[in-house]
Amino acid sequence: MSLTAGIVGLPNVGKSTLFNAITNSQVLAENYPFATINPNVGVVEVPDERMDEIVKLFNPKRTIYTTFEFTDIAGLVKGASKGEGLGNQFLSHIRQTDAICHVVRCFDDPDIMHVDGSVDPIRDIETINFELCIADLETVENRIGKVYRKALAKEKGYAEEYALLLKLKEALSAGRSSRYLEFTKEEKAILSSYQLLTDKPVIYIANMSDEDIADPSTNAYFQKVKEYAAKEGSEAIAICASMEQELSSLNKEEKEAFMNDLGIQKSGLDQIIQAAYHLLGLRTFFTVGEPECRAWTFHEGMLAPQCAGIIHTDFEKGFIRAEIYSYEDLAEYHTEQSLKEHGKIRLEGKNYVMQDGDVVFFRFNV
């Protein structure tokens, strides 16, 4: 299940530094606009303390965590929707992602130029949001041109689509993102085919100095970003990208010691990865045993046979039943034998809706 979040922002806000930290890779991260020309893609493990505990209980020969994909997209600038900077090339890269991680500069540093000459996180956010709205408006207006006559002729389905397009046009023309409009189930089905940039869920990532990250509440820029995100129903996460890059080069013990010294409970990277994972409605189930313990990604609301199909298509085709217990029960009783004795292992059929943290053994026959 390959889903990706695109890392976007104005030039020189720390996108590529953050990407280096996320993937522990070395993409170009220089102090000038458009250092990143082609989108860089990295796959990262999703941190999960439950998996860590499962490994301790089963001591498997192999451990596989769930993964998530991030794409580093070059910096947008004012006028990108009209071809400024590297323009529509970058907008097309964003269109291919499932969610947006919007990096915002929340630090002062005279040695690092700002494309607009000063630090103003809300202006920066609105610059990019406006460009995405304009790009979507062009998509909507092009579609209106194709649908109008068919709607006028009362061809089936086109009147409803035309009404939806007019609603989108009004909002986008006013600089309102489509994700904040309410849609019916039928409208959502039509909307998905447009691949609108402003329909993608967003996490705002406030990149601040290492002096501020120990207590982000003291950073006035971050407070503004938090307020802006709250109004949208989005999430804001405080990080220090340069420090996260340094942390990514350390082993687990060194990383924990470093964070303890700084008084940080959870790294910014872990927060971003987990937030992006859950933002897209992704959840985790586990398969366990001495040969292998593995975490699997599924969409919230999926049924047991569909989740079996994630492992192998034959599992879904020949699904008989699923033997399931919860991670919470495993954490309490420690062994499958004890779980059986306490009646915590249950049998579920084809209509069972899988839950986050389910530990499962699928029975099938092909």
Coordinates of all heavy atoms in Angstrom, one line a residue, residues 6 43 92 125 141 145 150 155-156 181 189 198 206 210 221 223 233 303 345:
G6 N 4.0 14.7 0.3 CA 5.0 15.6 -0.3 C 5.4 16.7 0.6 O 4.6 17.4 1.3
V43 N 11.6 6.2 1.5 CA 10.7 5.4 2.2 C 11.3 5.2 3.7 O 12.4 4.9 3.8 CB 10.6 4.0 1.6 CG1 9.7 3.1 2.4 CG2 10.0 4.1 0.2
S92 N 2.8 19.7 -10.5 CA 2.5 18.4 -10.9 C 3.1 17.3 -10.0 O 2.5 16.3 -9.8 CB 3.0 18.1 -12.4 OG 4.4 18.1 -12.4
I125 N 2.8 30.8 4.3 CA 1.7 29.7 4.1 C 0.7 30.2 3.1 O 0.3 29.4 2.2 CB 1.0 29.5 5.4 CG1 1.9 28.7 6.4 CG2 -0.3 28.7 5.2 CD1 1.4 28.6 7.8
E141 N -11.9 25.4 -14.1 CA -12.4 26.2 -15.2 C -12.3 25.4 -16.5 O -13.2 25.5 -17.4 CB -11.7 27.5 -15.3 CG -12.1 28.5 -14.2 CD -11.4 29.8 -14.2 OE1 -10.3 29.8 -14.8 OE2 -11.9 30.8 -13.7
G145 N -15.6 24.2 -18.9 CA -15.8 24.3 -20.4 C -16.2 23.1 -21.1 O -16.9 23.1 -22.1
K150 N -23.0 19.9 -21.9 CA -23.6 18.6 -21.6 C -24.7 18.7 -20.5 O -25.7 18.1 -20.4 CB -22.6 17.6 -21.2 CG -21.7 17.2 -22.4 CD -20.6 16.2 -22.0 CE -19.8 15.8 -23.3 NZ -18.8 14.8 -22.9
E155 N -27.7 15.9 -20.1 CA -27.1 14.6 -20.2 C -26.9 14.1 -18.8 O -26.6 14.8 -17.9 CB -25.8 14.6 -20.9 CG -25.9 14.9 -22.4 CD -24.6 14.7 -23.2 OE1 -23.8 13.8 -22.8 OE2 -24.3 15.4 -24.1
K156 N -27.1 12.8 -18.6 CA -27.2 12.2 -17.3 C -25.9 12.4 -16.5 O -24.8 12.1 -17.0 CB -27.4 10.7 -17.4 CG -27.6 10.0 -16.0 CD -27.9 8.5 -16.2 CE -28.1 7.8 -14.9 NZ -28.3 6.4 -15.0
L181 N -14.4 22.6 2.2 CA -15.8 22.6 1.8 C -16.5 21.2 2.1 O -15.8 20.2 2.3 CB -15.9 22.8 0.2 CG -15.3 24.1 -0.3 CD1 -15.5 24.1 -1.9 CD2 -16.0 25.3 0.3
A189 N -17.1 11.4 -5.0 CA -16.7 10.5 -6.0 C -16.3 11.2 -7.3 O -15.3 10.9 -8.0 CB -17.9 9.6 -6.4
T198 N -5.6 21.4 -3.6 CA -6.2 21.9 -2.3 C -7.1 20.9 -1.6 O -7.6 21.2 -0.5 CB -6.9 23.3 -2.5 OG1 -8.0 23.0 -3.4 CG2 -6.0 24.3 -3.1
A206 N 6.6 23.5 11.5 CA 7.3 24.8 11.9 C 8.8 24.5 12.2 O 9.1 23.8 13.2 CB 6.7 25.4 13.1
D210 N 17.6 25.5 17.1 CA 17.8 24.5 18.2 C 17.6 25.1 19.6 O 17.3 24.4 20.5 CB 19.2 23.8 18.0 CG 20.3 24.8 17.9 OD1 20.0 26.0 18.0 OD2 21.5 24.4 17.8
Y221 N 6.7 32.8 16.2 CA 6.3 32.4 14.8 C 5.5 31.1 14.9 O 4.5 30.9 14.2 CB 7.5 32.1 14.0 CG 8.4 33.3 13.7 CD1 9.8 33.3 13.8 CD2 7.8 34.6 13.3 CE1 10.6 34.4 13.5 CE2 8.6 35.7 13.0 CZ 10.0 35.6 13.1 OH 10.8 36.6 12.8
Q223 N 3.6 30.0 17.3 CA 2.3 30.2 17.9 C 1.3 30.7 16.8 O 0.1 30.3 16.7 CB 2.3 31.3 19.0 CG 3.1 30.8 20.2 CD 2.7 29.4 20.7 OE1 1.5 29.2 20.9 NE2 3.6 28.5 20.9
G233 N -8.4 23.2 11.0 CA -8.5 21.9 11.4 C -7.3 21.0 11.1 O -7.4 19.8 11.0
L303 N -12.3 -4.5 5.8 CA -12.7 -5.8 6.3 C -11.6 -6.8 6.4 O -10.6 -6.6 5.7 CB -13.9 -6.3 5.5 CG -15.1 -5.4 5.4 CD1 -16.2 -6.1 4.5 CD2 -15.7 -5.1 6.8
I345 N -8.6 -14.7 22.6 CA -8.4 -15.0 21.1 C -9.8 -15.3 20.6 O -10.5 -16.2 21.1 CB -7.5 -16.1 20.9 CG1 -6.1 -15.8 21.4 CG2 -7.4 -16.4 19.3 CD1 -5.0 -16.9 21.2

